[in-house]
Amino acid sequence: GLYLLYYLSMTVNISIVLGAIMGTIMAANVWFIIWPNQKKVIAGAPDAAEAGAKAGLASRTNTLLSIPMLYLMINSAHGFGLPMIAETSMMGLWVGLVLILAIEMNAIFGSMNKMIASVKAVIHSGIVLTVIFGALVHYL
């Protein structure tokens, strides 16, 4: 998929690139953070409580990223009059990448914060994040 994005880079828009990066990070969260930590919890390892908290944080991060990812993927398919990457400023892409990276760094090294303390907060934060990413791809 990443090679295809590179190969077709002149015909895709910023929305599909940001959405694909979010989807790739979400899959990596499952395979490299959630599942290994869940195995510790299931086995009853001595650090099961810490592992469960880490898995929960990564899982909530995936939920947080899923709403804007869905919007960006739909947006890229239907276009909504957005110009292609080659015709636009790359500022929206870079700002989006930094934002995604900051969220992922919290999933890896951070802890639960107010934005993702409950499922309701995650959904509200995901909607706000969707508006932010929508503004990024439309106006930058």
Side-chain angles (χ1 to χ4, degrees):
L2 292 176
Y3 174 74
L4 186 60
L5 282 177
Y6 170 76
Y7 182 73
L8 298 174
S9 64
M10 299 309 278
T11 59
V12 297
N13 59 31
I14 292 172
S15 293
I16 193 73
V17 173
L18 290 173
I21 290 169
M22 283 185 202
T24 303
I25 286 174
M26 290 166 59
N29 279 345
V30 170
W31 284 103
F32 300 117
I33 299 174
I34 297 170
W35 180 236
N37 285 305
Q38 284 296 80
K39 287 197 286 190
K40 290 179 184 177
V41 170
I42 292 168
D47 63 341
E50 182 181 323
K54 191 87 157 141
L57 179 60
S59 179
R60 292 221 176 139
T61 300
N62 277 5
T63 304
L64 176 70
L65 291 175
S66 66
I67 300 168
M69 183 201 67
L70 189 63
Y71 167 77
L72 290 170
M73 293 294 194
I74 291 170
N75 182 44
S76 70
H78 298 288
F80 301 125
L82 291 177
M84 299 297 151
I85 281 181
E87 303 168 7
T88 62
S89 163
M90 295 294 283
M91 183 59 74
L93 179 64
W94 292 117
V95 172
L97 288 175
V98 168
L99 187 57
I100 292 168
L101 218 106
I103 292 168
E104 183 57 21
M105 288 298 108
N106 182 61
I108 295 171
F109 302 112
S111 60
M112 287 283 185
N113 56 36
K114 193 175 178 180
M115 280 181 34
I116 56 176
S118 68
V119 174
K120 184 178 179 180
V122 171
I123 292 170
H124 289 159
S125 297
I127 292 168
V128 169
L129 194 59
T130 302
V131 170
I132 291 169
F133 275 105
L136 282 177
V137 299
H138 287 286
Y139 300 114
L140 282 186

